């Protein structure tokens, strides 16, 4: 199994989530994130003063997938997270991480629940 972590624009969250639901992937985790890549923040004006916004708002979407679903999930996220027809700098990144073990907190295996 793998964890797919997609850092995307907040405006694309509902589109990506709906596309993942169409793949019957209903178990996702969504977290607020802040950061920047190649765009290095931006300048803004507030009450006549210019200031630099170094960290831009993003959303991190995490999905646990089987190996045979991995390529499909990545393609669906890429297609649905684009801004515009070809995408832009700042649309996000996708990270794929291996999963060593999954433990359900409600029913852990005996070796994890015993004291000693």
């Amino acid at each position: 199994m793998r964890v797919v972590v997609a850092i995307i624009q907040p405006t694309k969250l509902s589109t990506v989530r709906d596309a993942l639901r169409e793949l019957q992937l209903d178990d996702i985790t969504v977290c607020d994130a802040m950061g920047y890549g190649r765009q290095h923040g931006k300048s803004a004006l507030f009450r006549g003063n210019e200031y630099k916004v170094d960290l831009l708002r993003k959303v991190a979407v995490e999905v646990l997938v089987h190996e045979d679903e991995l390529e499909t999930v990545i393609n669906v996220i890429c297609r649905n997270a684009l801004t515009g027809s070809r995408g832009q700098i700042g649309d996000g990144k996708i990270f794929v991480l291996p999963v060593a073990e999954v433990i359900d907190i409600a029913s852990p295996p005996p070796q994890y629940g015993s004291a000693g």
Side-chain angles (χ1 to χ4, degrees):
M1 295 193 82
R2 303 287 182 126
V3 173
V4 176
V5 180
I7 311 296
I8 62 172
Q9 295 283 347
T11 57
K12 291 300 190 171
L13 175 60
S14 62
T15 306
V16 170
R17 186 180 57 212
D18 292 345
L20 291 172
R21 280 187 185 148
E22 287 180 20
L23 296 175
Q24 280 79 44
L25 292 173
D26 295 319
D27 299 334
I28 66 171
T29 301
V30 178
C31 303
D32 282 324
M34 295 186 74
Y36 65 87
R38 287 183 282 171
Q39 74 263 53
H40 300 289
K42 59 184 176 182
S43 295
L45 284 174
F46 181 71
R47 296 186 179 175
N49 295 323
E50 185 176 347
Y51 64 98
K52 185 160 175 83
V53 178
D54 289 333
L55 299 174
L56 304 174
R57 185 165 180 263
K58 304 286 183 180
V59 175
V61 178
E62 300 175 1
V63 185
L64 186 66
V65 299
H66 292 282
E67 296 287 335
D68 57 335
E69 301 172 308
L70 183 60
E71 188 175 338
T72 303
V73 169
I74 290 171
N75 289 332
V76 163
I77 293 171
C78 284
R79 271 196 318 272
N80 288 282
L82 283 180
T83 56
S85 60
R86 299 182 64 194
Q88 299 177 20
I89 292 175
D91 279 353
K93 296 270 190 276
I94 297 176
F95 303 95
V96 179
L97 308 167
V99 175
E101 191 171 5
V102 177
I103 300 167
D104 186 352
I105 293 173
S107 56
Q111 69 268 21
Y112 289 104
S114 62

